[in-house]
Amino acid sequence: MQTLTADIVIIGSGVGGTAVAHQLAGSGAKILILERGDFLPDEPQNSDAEAVFGQQRYKTRDTWLTPEGVAFRPGQYYYVGGHTKFYGTAMFRFRESDFEDSVMDGARSPAWPIRYADLAPHYAEAERLYGVRGQAGLDPTEPPREPFPHAAIPHEPVIAALSGQLTAQGLRPFHMPSAVDYGPGGTCQRCGTCDAFVCRFGAKGDAETRVLRPLLAHPDVRLERQAEVLRLIADEDGRRIVAAEVRRQGEVLRVEAPTFVLSAGAINSALILLRSACEAAPDGLANRSGVVGRYLMNHHLTGLMAVNPFAVNGTRFPKTLSLNDFYHGLPDDPDARGNIQMLGNIQGAMIRAAYPRTPLPLANWLGRHTVDVLAMSEDLPNVDSRVRLLPDGRVMVDYRPGGGGAHDRFVRHVRAVLRRAGFPLVLRHGFGIQAPSHQCGTVRMGDDPATSALDALCRAHDHPNLHVVDGGFFPSSAALNPALTIAAQALRVGAHLRRTRAT
Ligand SMILES: Cc1cc2nc3c(=O)[nH]c(=O)nc-3n(C[C@H](O)[C@H](O)[C@H](O)COP(=O)(O)OP(=O)(O)OC[C@H]3O[C@@H](n4cnc5c(N)ncnc54)[C@H](O)[C@@H]3O)c2cc1C
């Protein structure tokens, strides 16, 4: 078996893995990034709704099982840059309260082992790295912050009108922070496809374009593509990780390093740890507490299509508006709460992919006549919500979201707000775990090794040379998009690794 060596092995080239690499490049350490996928091909299908949604061209062909044993193809995308190749570019900081303990409908959302202030400088760095555009001072829930690195993307007319209608209801809409190279001199072509599509112009602030590509020019950073980590191997007493077993284009390799950073995404990182069970760690690595794979969260996400039968919505880039007036609860129902933000344009082919019986002309008509909004609420961690590795190696996802009743009440309220804003019909569509886009929580961090897998710097309590740095570390999900928080904590962890290497 061929053996590769490096000083630091990073598994996964998504937000988490690339941010750690960014901090370590230039430290003298030889960094090897192992990525299961390849570069996404640049092709017309990148922005073709029929190819992306109808034919599911880019989604993994792997299947997972529901608890009932039904196989499904999850919305997992294995490419260099990870899920950010398809993400919607909303780059929010979590609120100060998101790091604190809270209760919703009687269920508990635990405190993080870090506070907003610990992440604040790294949030600022992540925003610079990803080129985030926004306007400080308008979002009523905004934590203390400095101005955004770039000015906010202006609203197009339909979104400006919606903003005005919300303001007329006494609400405080604001410019959504977004990582798109938009504006004078920018590369965004306003092609009309962004959220859930690949950008053909390099304008989307994704992990490959903004973080990894510049690093690959560095002599100490090496990327191995089509290199899937099968398991990690610990030494005899199960303390130190000594190697990763990797399948690279059909061949199995051993990769050795003194330090490992696992950033394969919340679900896959948990699976790799579970698959790495050995005599000294029979329940999987980093899993003395038994939490690995548990507390799987994904947000309560409801898409709302606000129909205006009398006007065509010709907006090219709608993701410029968000609303946090109900982030801490409705006036008469504090548990019903969350964020509201624009979705990318929903097209007929996307509607038909979810509802195949919709006649094409109707789907296309809806695609032209709706303004599309996402209502997002916190998914409360539940010990029984989990991803499991079955004895035969198959993967079962037993997802049990927490706080669904409160989210439904929140969505009812949001629909009423949209109706008052001039949309007589507001259709709803819930996104489930089949699209695990905001997956998190499966390798949670915490101060107590009995109830968490990682410490506050994402180091495994059980293994001094293993860090897990992706959505898996979240102890709770907040009600805002996860990518900027993953990036900020990964930059924090990377800075720590660099400092400790130097001493
Ligand atoms: C359609 C869509 C829209 C979204 N929109 C937003 C948004 O607007 N804002 C936001 O904040 N978030 C958004 N998200 C979520 C966001 O993209 C993710 O939270 C974030 O990218 C996760 O980063 P990560 O580093 O945790 O994991 P990933 O992005 O999953 O990266 C993990 C990497 O590891 C690789 N990998 C997996 N298994 C292995 C293995 N065994 N060996 C080697 N490599 C492996 C994967 O191929 C991948 O490259 C969206 C997601 C989707 C799918």
Side-chain angles (χ1 to χ4, degrees):
M1 188 189 289
Q2 194 190 340
T3 300
L4 304 181
T5 57
D7 295 320
I8 300 201
V9 165
I10 297 176
I11 300 162
S13 66
V15 176
T18 54
V20 174
H22 172 84
Q23 295 294 54
L24 287 163
S27 66
K30 298 273 181 217
I31 301 162
L32 175 58
I33 303 173
L34 301 170
E35 168 53 52
R36 170 183 173 158
D38 208 332
F39 289 115
L40 251 159
D42 175 10
E43 54 188 14
Q45 290 93 333
N46 291 167
S47 49
D48 176 352
E50 179 52 36
V52 175
F53 287 87
Q55 295 154 18
Q56 305 187 337
R57 182 175 179 84
Y58 301 108
K59 210 160 113 165
T60 181
R61 301 212 161 264
D62 286 0
T63 54
W64 292 344
L65 299 175
T66 66
E68 295 73 37
V70 179
F72 66 99
R73 256 176 87 192
Q76 288 280 118
Y77 299 92
Y78 299 132
Y79 296 96
V80 175
H83 282 107
T84 56
K85 294 306 292 181
F86 292 85
Y87 87 145
T89 74
M91 286 296 238
F92 278 96
R93 297 182 182 201
F94 282 4
R95 313 292 95 164
E96 288 168 291
S97 59
D98 292 326
F99 297 88
E100 309 291 342
D101 187 274
S102 72
V103 170
M104 191 203 276
D105 273 0
R108 188 164 158 260
S109 171
W112 289 40
I114 55 175
R115 292 293 176 271
Y116 173 77
D118 297 307
L119 278 192
H122 308 288
Y123 271 132
E125 196 180 355
E127 286 173 346
R128 281 193 299 276
L129 199 53
Y130 278 85
V132 178
R133 282 154 204 271
Q135 185 174 346
L138 300 179
D139 173 353
T141 65
E142 187 174 82
R145 59 160 304 130
E146 57 295 303
F148 280 87
H150 304 280
I153 302 174
H155 297 314
E156 293 182 44
V158 169
I159 309 303
L162 174 61
S163 178
Q165 283 146 351
L166 296 172
T167 307
Q169 292 182 38
L171 301 171
R172 292 158 293 176
F174 59 92
H175 288 281
M176 179 149 90
S178 180
V180 178
D181 186 16
Y182 181 100
T187 45
C188 177
Q189 307 286 315
R190 297 176 70 247
C191 68
T193 53
C194 190
D195 200 352
F197 292 90
V198 186
C199 179
R200 301 193 64 200
F201 309 106
K204 182 185 277 197
D206 64 55
E208 181 209 347
T209 311
R210 299 287 308 196
V211 191
L212 184 62
R213 286 274 180 185
L215 291 181
L216 292 181
H218 203 288
D220 288 342
V221 180
R222 177 170 159 199
L223 169 70
E224 281 288 342
R225 294 170 279 138
Q226 297 183 42
E228 180 182 1
V229 171
L230 305 174
R231 65 181 180 121
L232 296 172
I233 299 167
D235 62 8
E236 218 162 276
D237 62 10
R239 279 288 284 166
R240 294 191 71 80
I241 310 303
V242 291
E245 193 175 278
V246 183
R247 185 166 49 214
R248 187 185 60 183
Q249 296 159 25
E251 168 201 17
V252 175
L253 316 172
R254 182 179 165 95
V255 179
E256 296 177 349
T259 304
F260 286 83
V261 175
L262 178 56
S263 300
I267 292 179
N268 278 306
S269 283
L271 288 169
I272 290 170
L273 293 171
L274 295 172
R275 246 180 236 125
S276 306
C278 57
E279 214 174 301
D283 296 325
L285 294 179
N287 199 22
R288 243 183 328 146
S289 61
V291 300
V292 171
R294 292 183 179 271
Y295 299 103
L296 170 64
M297 298 170 279
N298 191 46
H299 280 150
H300 295 281
L301 297 168
T302 298
L304 296 171
M305 296 180 72
V307 183
N308 183 345
F310 310 109
V312 168
N313 178 4
T315 309
R316 307 297 292 172
F317 187 77
K319 298 193 55 139
T320 55
L321 179 143
S322 183
L323 193 75
N324 269 338
D325 291 73
F326 313 120
Y327 197 79
H328 298 303
L330 303 180
D332 54 351
D333 184 355
D335 290 346
R337 59 194 192 217
N339 163 267
I340 302 166
Q341 60 183 259
M342 303 308 299
L343 275 171
N345 287 322
I346 300 215
Q347 303 179 35
M350 296 153 85
I351 297 170
R352 294 245 303 169
Y355 301 97
R357 290 201 180 145
T358 314
L360 185 61
L362 174 61
N364 286 338
W365 184 89
L366 280 170
R368 285 195 304 277
H369 285 267
T370 60
V371 170
D372 308 309
V373 172
L374 182 66
M376 186 186 313
S377 300
E378 180 166 359
D379 179 2
L380 294 171
N382 174 352
V383 65
D384 294 321
S385 179
R386 62 192 292 202
V387 51
R388 312 172 72 134
L389 194 61
L390 299 181
D392 62 5
R394 288 184 302 167
V395 173
M396 176 185 285
V397 178
D398 185 356
Y399 174 55
R400 303 186 193 189
H407 177 67
D408 275 344
R409 303 198 299 277
F410 172 58
V411 168
R412 265 205 302 279
H413 188 79
V414 179
R415 291 174 89 184
V417 166
L418 290 170
R419 278 195 290 271
R420 279 198 295 275
F423 301 93
L425 178 66
V426 182
L427 305 172
R428 66 176 283 181
H429 170 77
F431 299 96
I433 199 66
Q434 275 77 8
S437 53
H438 289 187
Q439 60 186 267
C440 60
T442 47
V443 196
R444 57 175 14 201
M445 58 177 183
D447 291 324
D448 184 356
T451 55
S452 61
L454 309 174
D455 69 14
L457 279 159
C458 289
R459 190 169 83 152
H461 292 303
D462 303 350
H463 312 287
N465 67 333
L466 173 65
H467 287 73
V468 184
V469 193
D470 53 34
F473 68 71
F474 284 26
S476 66
S477 69
L480 288 164
N481 318 58
L484 195 74
T485 299
I486 299 171
Q489 170 72 346
L491 290 170
R492 179 171 174 264
V493 171
H496 170 78
L497 286 173
R498 188 178 181 123
R499 267 195 312 276
T500 48
R501 269 189 63 76
T503 52

